[in-house]
Amino acid sequence: MQIWAIDLNEEFYFEAHMFTELWTIFLNDLKADNKLESSQPFPAVIFFPIYTEMLICYFFISFFTSSLSSPDFNYNTDGYEGEGAEDGKSQDGSETLPYIDESPTMSPQLCAPQGPDGEAVSPTPPEGLPPGVRAGDIEKGLEMKKLVLSGFLASEEIYINQLEALLLPMRPLKATATTSQPVLTIQQVDTIFYKIQDIFEIHKEFYDALLPSIQQWDENVTVGHLFQKLASQLGVYKAFVDNYKEALETAEKCSHANSQFQKISEVSPNTHLPDNSDSWSPSFLPTALLYKPIDRVTRSTLVLHDLLKHTPKDHPDFPLLQNALRISQNFLSSINEEIDPRRTAVTTPKGEARQLVKDGFLVEVSESSRKVRHVFLFTDLLLCAKMKKTAVGRHQQYECKWYIPLADLTFQTLDDSDSCHSVQVLPEHEIEEMKIKISALKNEIQKEKKGPKGQSRVERLRKKMNEQESWLLLHSPTIPFCIHNKHGKSYLFLLSSDYERSEWRESIQKLQKKDLQSCVLSSVELQVLTSSCFKLRTVHNIPVTSNKDDEETPGLYGFLHVIVHSAQGFRDSANLYCTLEVDSFGYFVSKAKTRVFRDTTEPQWNEEFEIELEGSQYLRILCYEKCYDKSMLNKDDNEIVDKIMGKGQVQLDPQTVQSKNWHMDIIEMNGIKVEFSMKFTSRDLSLKRTPSKKQSGVFGVKINVVTKRERSKVPYIVRQCIEEVEKRGIDEVGIYRISGVATDIQALKTAFDTNTKDILVMLSDMDINAIAGTLKLYFRELPEPLLTDRLYPAFMEGIALSDPAAKENCMMHLLRSLPEPNLMTFLTLLEHLKRVAEKEPINKMSLHNLGTVFGPTLLRPSESESTKGQHITSASDIWSHDVMAQVQVLLYYLQHSPISFAELKRNTLYFSTDV
């Protein structure tokens, strides 16, 4: 049986006699439940919501009775032929999942009847309704809001009762599962009733919180936070939907195979079978009730539409309801994309059904050069295409480069890794420089938009940014994904994240578990299939900013604090760790990694990380099992050989994340649950140089105060951190780039501030990335930059000089102009960073990389200086403004021959800083 969430339109007309019958049944039920005395007049204030609910009930009954009784009913709504889709079967014969309608047309209030002129007409208020209450009456908006909420609360109570009815047979079934004569196994019970208990508890909590708000209604009552919390828990529904098909199949099988389960299904309480119940299968009950949670998401989304319609924009509820609606709509859209095979089906000339499972833009290495390809994974083959160049106004088309039947496809193994040729990787500093250029262009576009005649220039800037972002997406991926066909031909893709590689590999392997046959497409078949790609594709544009609408969120700029708490759900003990990724400039970058928790099924990391965001919208968490077998290392391409146990992604919603409090969440991944917390600090707040109130410490204290107190030329913290990094971290991949655990960094900060005697012991035991992070934090929190606010303009002008001799004189003179503690500390750090860069083949940290990491930290002016004469127009302004010049200043000194303090002081060249 196939259950679809439906779009109620003009096809369904309201019949008065049917409404009367339903109304009578409803009143009798109320009296039977002692909710309404027989002599008591019906309360007028709740007439409207009950009218709404009865109308919806009638539509649902009309739909299901007609769809189940009429063999000619067509479910098709989006242009694809519905043949072969009867009885809940897709074209390939497999059962389909319920399609969720996220459109607002299902709402009776949004589907107002039309008058003779075609304009929407508000329904006549029922007798007894307060005078003047109409859908378009702004003054009565809050009263309408209460009516909408009352109706929703009533339906919520019905829904909770339905969930309880579904849970009733679960408890005895579970109880008998452990006896000698079980009705069902524990696994079968868990599959059929998967997540129902969790959904019940979520809605019971929501109902209990909403009820008093309606009972004590006034204009100041807020309910948006309740709907926002409800929307934030839609991950449970996602898990339910993922299991839905299996739950139906299991219920069907158990009903046919087990007479006891069949009887339980037939006599479950609170369920009324149709009069012609003989025509219904014994598994009707679990099937009918199991669709309820899916239908409920659609219902709550429609209610949010109505609530927003009757909530003033200046009411505190409005932004919360708006956010809840956005989350719900995104959820429905994502579910529909996953579960509606009709949208991704194509029929070959032979009549075979072929469905699109996944598509996306990947970078292919072809003839030793990188090419952007659009890759399509169908149920039986993988097709690699490129967009054909067409004349202006002509319909775009794809050109097939190659395809491999999945029956013939194999993945790279460690033994044949040399068959996938290595590809040249650009120096990382070129990637970083391009990011800075793109950031600067974004800000320039924003400024031009506000100008009176900037549109033509905006288009030129957009075109330039598109070229630069496309270049970045083409050259940044480095993780190899190699596939072969049975004839020995290999194809190499480069991906930016192990997450994507795992997704593609898992999707292909899942399809390969079916009984696939090899196929050879004729030229006509290949042309038909390639032509269909344009219509079937789910990813339409290369993920660059210039392809996004102006209204789309620009993402977050600043620092995301993440605590990875724990994980559970592992079957066997293993050595486990997590990595964190965020998106940046259209692709994902790994930003942090927890320590390995050895030989456990319940790792307790409790590690905090500070992750820099550059227009990021998503956080990914990947859980790995660590491989310690060195024979498994792949030296040719440094491929990660640790096994991915699970992966998950969460959207960085600004309203949720930007609160000052920690936001706790759980990511479910392949049965594994990872618990984490996060909070966000915007860049303008996180980059402030705030002087410390306690001058007895070292963080936030002027460097000359610290050195004078310590009677040293270089602060003790700088000397000790450098010594420890050179002792055991100079070979560490990504040293100074990989985030250290925030709690470890804070512990070291406290130890240095309080001059703890055990500081050397702490340093020797601490993770090296935490020590590197402590050194960066020290320079970042100086009340003024190491190279001083006073000299900052001169450094910016000096690095821009074209004449090498003039630049040399200026840059050296600026160093001599620094206060002695600043100069000595800078020269000490400079020589240390040069020694780190000498190990670049091992640690992957070049002078350019180190300049990118330390340049802004050592030169970024304090807040008062950095904002003089400037108007910051966006969050990314602070990032892009002068960053490239700051990096270039440090890079100049890193690339310079050794600079000694004594030589600088002996040099008597005089050069004005007013260049």
Side-chain angles (χ1 to χ4, degrees):
M1 175 179 165
Q2 187 173 16
I3 307 292
W4 299 93
I6 57 175
D7 181 4
L8 302 178
N9 51 39
E10 288 81 359
E11 290 180 50
F12 299 93
Y13 291 97
F14 183 76
E15 297 178 43
H17 72 277
M18 179 61 75
F19 175 76
T20 304
E21 289 182 25
L22 290 169
W23 183 249
T24 304
I25 292 169
F26 183 80
L27 290 179
N28 290 336
D29 284 347
L30 284 177
K31 291 174 181 177
D33 293 341
N34 295 320
K35 292 180 180 176
L36 185 68
E37 297 296 332
S38 30
S39 59
Q40 178 184 352
F42 195 75
V45 72
I46 61 171
F47 184 92
F48 184 82
I50 293 176
Y51 172 91
T52 300
E53 290 303 311
M54 297 303 293
L55 186 60
I56 289 177
C57 288
Y58 169 71
F59 281 164
F60 268 88
I61 292 170
S62 300
F63 174 76
F64 285 119
T65 53
S66 63
S67 64
L68 291 165
S69 60
S70 171
D72 299 325
F73 187 84
N74 185 8
Y75 292 100
N76 187 22
T77 59
D78 49 9
Y80 292 95
E81 293 297 328
E83 295 177 4
E86 297 174 4
D87 301 323
K89 304 288 183 183
S90 63
Q91 289 178 327
D92 66 348
S94 60
E95 290 195 21
T96 54
L97 285 170
Y99 172 75
I100 300 174
D101 176 22
E102 66 260 38
S103 68
T105 55
M106 186 172 166
S107 171
Q109 296 175 35
L110 294 177
C111 296
Q114 292 186 342
D117 57 354
E119 291 295 320
V121 180
S122 299
T124 305
E127 186 179 350
L129 202 63
V133 176
R134 287 191 288 273
D137 193 338
I138 298 175
E139 282 139 2
K140 293 293 182 180
L142 290 175
E143 184 62 26
M144 290 297 295
K145 181 178 176 182
K146 180 186 177 183
L147 295 176
V148 174
L149 284 170
S150 300
F152 186 61
L153 190 70
S155 70
E156 190 75 2
E157 184 174 0
I158 294 169
Y159 178 53
I160 291 170
N161 290 334
Q162 290 169 339
L163 292 175
E164 276 190 309
L166 197 55
L167 288 170
L168 276 174
M170 183 189 77
R171 298 178 184 113
L173 287 171
K174 269 198 169 180
T176 62
T178 55
T179 64
S180 57
Q181 293 182 322
V183 178
L184 301 179
T185 65
I186 282 286
Q187 185 177 359
Q188 288 171 332
V189 174
D190 289 343
T191 300
I192 294 173
F193 300 95
Y194 185 69
K195 292 296 177 186
I196 300 296
Q197 182 70 44
D198 293 344
I199 294 172
F200 171 78
E201 289 171 0
I202 287 170
H203 283 270
K204 185 69 169 67
E205 181 184 350
F206 173 77
Y207 177 89
D208 292 342
L210 183 61
L211 179 60
S213 297
I214 298 175
Q215 290 173 336
Q216 303 164 14
W217 184 260
D218 62 47
E219 63 181 12
N220 297 319
V221 168
T222 59
V223 295
H225 61 289
L226 300 178
F227 280 91
Q228 187 170 255
K229 183 177 181 182
L230 188 66
S232 70
Q233 295 170 312
L234 285 175
V236 176
Y237 275 90
K238 174 68 168 68
F240 173 86
V241 170
D242 289 344
N243 181 72
Y244 180 79
K245 181 180 176 183
E246 191 176 350
L248 293 186
E249 291 174 349
T250 306
E252 185 78 27
K253 289 176 184 175
C254 292
S255 184
H256 286 300
N258 192 303
S259 59
Q260 287 178 288
F261 181 66
Q262 186 176 2
K263 289 177 182 177
I264 291 172
S265 299
E266 289 173 345
V267 300
S268 292
N270 300 329
T271 306
H272 302 284
L273 291 174
D275 293 336
N276 60 336
S277 56
D278 291 341
S279 65
W280 295 71
S281 71
S283 62
F284 160 72
L285 171 63
T287 303
L289 284 183
L290 277 174
Y291 93 88
K292 294 289 185 183
I294 300 173
D295 168 59
R296 194 61 189 172
V297 182
T298 304
R299 178 77 181 96
S300 61
T301 304
L302 298 171
V303 167
L304 285 167
H305 274 286
D306 289 345
L307 289 175
L308 277 169
K309 183 178 177 182
H310 300 298
T311 302
K313 289 190 177 181
D314 58 351
H315 193 280
D317 256 355
F318 193 85
L320 298 174
L321 292 171
Q322 209 170 31
N323 188 46
L325 177 61
R326 181 184 57 78
I327 295 171
S328 300
Q329 286 178 325
N330 288 343
F331 171 80
L332 290 177
S333 297
S334 66
I335 293 297
N336 280 341
E337 285 178 7
E338 291 179 21
I339 68 178
D340 185 5
R342 300 170 303 151
R343 296 185 173 188
T344 57
V346 60
T347 304
T348 66
K350 293 182 180 179
E352 299 169 347
R354 177 176 288 124
Q355 294 173 2
L356 178 65
V357 177
K358 181 179 176 65
D359 70 302
F361 289 95
L362 302 181
V363 174
E364 183 187 16
V365 179
S366 176
E367 298 175 354
S368 299
S369 62
R370 296 177 180 231
K371 310 282 185 182
V372 174
R373 305 295 194 208
H374 201 154
V375 182
F376 296 84
L377 174 61
F378 290 92
T379 43
D380 62 338
L381 59 85
L382 185 74
L383 184 146
C384 179
K386 78 167 187 176
M387 188 68 75
K388 292 171 70 173
K389 292 183 178 179
T390 55
V392 178
R394 293 288 301 276
H395 184 69
Q396 287 185 311
Q397 289 183 329
Y398 283 105
E399 173 189 338
C400 177
K401 300 304 294 182
W402 51 265
Y403 74 93
I404 305 178
L406 297 188
D408 299 341
L409 187 151
T410 59
F411 292 105
Q412 172 187 4
T413 63
L414 295 172
D415 296 330
D416 61 8
S417 59
D418 56 343
S419 62
C420 277
H421 304 293
S422 58
V423 63
Q424 188 175 1
V425 178
L426 285 179
E428 196 166 338
H429 71 88
E430 291 188 27
I431 302 291
E432 293 299 327
E433 287 173 3
M434 184 58 76
K435 286 183 183 180
I436 294 171
K437 288 178 182 177
I438 293 170
S439 292
L441 272 176
K442 285 180 182 178
N443 294 321
E444 213 174 330
I445 290 171
Q446 292 301 319
K447 291 171 185 174
E448 288 292 336
K449 280 182 181 177
K450 297 179 181 179
K453 299 178 181 179
Q455 194 55 41
S456 59
R457 177 164 164 74
V458 166
E459 290 306 315
R460 290 197 301 272
L461 291 172
R462 277 186 179 276
K463 184 177 180 181
K464 186 176 180 181
M465 188 171 74
N466 183 286
E467 293 171 355
Q468 293 183 348
E469 287 189 308
S470 299
W471 181 93
L472 187 65
L473 285 170
L474 186 66
H475 292 92
S476 57
T478 58
I479 296 178
F481 177 52
C482 196
I483 56 177
H484 306 269
N485 66 16
K486 66 179 181 180
H487 305 296
K489 175 70 175 174
S490 63
Y491 301 92
L492 175 62
F493 293 106
L494 294 175
L495 308 178
S496 62
S497 164
D498 205 28
Y499 192 102
E500 274 90 20
R501 178 167 62 178
S502 175
E503 276 193 329
W504 279 99
R505 184 173 286 171
E506 287 173 8
S507 298
I508 292 171
Q509 289 174 335
K510 185 176 180 180
L511 293 169
Q512 286 180 325
K513 290 179 180 178
K514 300 177 182 178
D515 184 22
L516 297 174
Q517 301 295 322
S518 183
C519 61
V520 177
L521 301 184
S522 68
S523 58
V524 175
E525 287 177 310
L526 188 58
Q527 184 178 358
V528 169
L529 181 60
T530 307
S531 298
S532 72
C533 288
F534 189 84
K535 183 179 180 181
L536 299 179
R537 60 185 179 170
T538 61
V539 181
H540 295 78
N541 296 309
I542 296 175
V544 295
T545 307
S546 46
N547 283 336
K548 293 182 179 180
D549 296 331
D550 291 339
E551 290 75 22
E552 288 190 55
T553 172
L556 297 174
Y557 289 83
F559 292 89
L560 184 70
H561 301 266
V562 181
I563 301 176
V564 182
H565 296 291
S566 59
Q568 57 184 9
F570 299 96
R571 294 181 180 178
D572 304 309
S573 292
N575 304 312
L576 303 167
Y577 69 92
C578 287
T579 62
L580 306 180
E581 295 182 353
V582 293
D583 58 308
S584 172
F585 296 90
Y587 62 96
F588 280 81
V589 182
S590 182
K591 288 286 189 175
K593 174 182 171 183
T594 69
R595 70 183 186 279
V596 179
F597 216 94
R598 295 206 175 208
D599 196 24
T600 182
T601 56
E602 294 186 357
Q604 301 285 330
W605 293 289
N606 293 314
E607 295 183 52
E608 182 183 339
F609 301 92
E610 182 184 77
I611 297 173
E612 187 171 10
L613 304 182
E614 301 166 311
S616 306
Q617 294 179 319
Y618 296 93
L619 168 70
R620 287 175 172 176
I621 298 182
L622 295 89
C623 189
Y624 289 89
E625 178 183 357
K626 182 68 178 175
C627 174
Y628 287 105
D629 184 359
K630 292 188 177 180
S631 65
M632 297 291 287
L633 290 177
N634 188 345
K635 297 179 181 178
D636 290 334
D637 56 21
N638 292 318
E639 180 180 359
I640 297 174
V641 294
D642 295 343
K643 180 182 177 183
I644 293 183
M645 304 297 288
K647 61 188 187 305
Q649 177 174 287
V650 62
Q651 186 171 4
L652 299 176
D653 179 52
Q655 292 189 355
T656 302
V657 177
Q658 286 182 333
S659 65
K660 294 180 180 179
N661 300 323
W662 286 94
H663 170 69
M664 183 173 283
D665 206 344
I666 291 176
I667 282 185
E668 292 198 32
M669 40 175 83
N670 301 341
I672 298 166
K673 294 181 179 180
V674 175
E675 187 181 74
F676 67 100
S677 298
M678 58 182 176
K679 67 176 180 179
F680 171 76
T681 308
S682 62
R683 190 180 293 279
D684 53 340
L685 293 174
S686 59
L687 293 184
K688 284 182 180 177
R689 294 186 181 273
T690 308
S692 174
K693 295 179 182 178
K694 297 180 180 179
Q695 292 298 300
S696 58
V698 294
F699 283 83
V701 179
K702 289 183 177 179
I703 195 167
N704 64 320
V705 173
V706 173
T707 52
K708 186 175 180 181
R709 184 203 312 142
E710 294 177 351
R711 297 180 182 178
S712 62
K713 294 180 179 179
V714 177
Y716 178 73
I717 183 174
V718 176
R719 288 181 281 122
Q720 289 304 317
C721 288
I722 286 176
E723 183 180 327
E724 199 65 34
V725 169
E726 293 192 359
K727 186 189 299 181
R728 58 188 180 91
I730 204 161
D731 291 338
E732 187 79 13
V733 175
I735 189 68
Y736 288 120
R737 180 176 287 281
I738 300 296
S739 300
V741 179
T743 46
D744 290 347
I745 294 173
Q746 288 302 314
L748 283 171
K749 176 182 176 181
T750 302
F752 278 111
D753 269 341
T754 56
N755 197 22
T756 303
K757 294 180 180 179
D758 297 330
I759 187 68
L760 293 178
V761 176
M762 284 184 68
L763 284 171
S764 62
D765 292 339
M766 198 67 73
D767 176 69
I768 198 63
N769 287 318
I771 296 171
T774 303
L775 183 62
K776 289 190 294 181
L777 183 66
Y778 169 73
F779 287 117
R780 199 166 83 199
E781 292 195 355
L782 282 174
E784 74 164 350
L786 185 66
L787 299 189
T788 73
D789 285 327
R790 180 178 63 86
L791 295 176
Y792 180 73
F795 276 114
M796 294 299 98
E797 293 169 354
I799 198 64
L801 291 173
S802 301
D803 179 63
K807 181 184 286 189
E808 166 83 7
N809 286 339
C810 179
M811 298 302 281
M812 290 303 114
H813 178 74
L814 288 172
L815 284 187
R816 287 195 303 276
S817 303
L818 286 170
E820 188 167 318
N822 298 58
L823 176 58
M824 291 298 295
T825 303
F826 178 71
L827 294 178
T828 301
L829 179 64
L830 201 64
E831 293 309 308
H832 164 65
L833 296 179
K834 288 181 179 181
R835 288 191 289 271
V836 171
E838 287 173 1
K839 296 282 189 174
E840 181 190 354
I842 302 171
N843 60 33
K844 310 299 181 187
M845 293 300 291
S846 65
L847 291 175
H848 293 85
N849 293 339
L850 293 166
T852 303
V853 171
F854 278 94
T857 301
L858 300 179
L859 282 119
R860 188 192 72 254
S862 56
E863 186 183 13
S864 58
E865 291 296 323
S866 62
T867 55
K868 279 182 182 177
Q870 295 181 30
H871 177 63
I872 303 302
T873 58
S874 72
S876 58
D877 270 358
I878 305 167
W879 161 241
S880 61
H881 178 72
D882 281 348
V883 166
M884 185 180 290
Q886 293 164 6
V887 171
Q888 291 300 321
V889 168
L890 179 56
L891 190 57
Y892 178 86
Y893 292 120
L894 285 170
Q895 293 174 331
H896 198 279
S897 55
I899 306 168
S900 72
F901 177 79
E903 184 181 345
L904 275 175
K905 289 302 179 183
R906 282 198 303 269
N907 196 325
T908 55
L909 278 173
Y910 289 92
F911 195 97
S912 171
T913 57
D914 299 325
V915 290

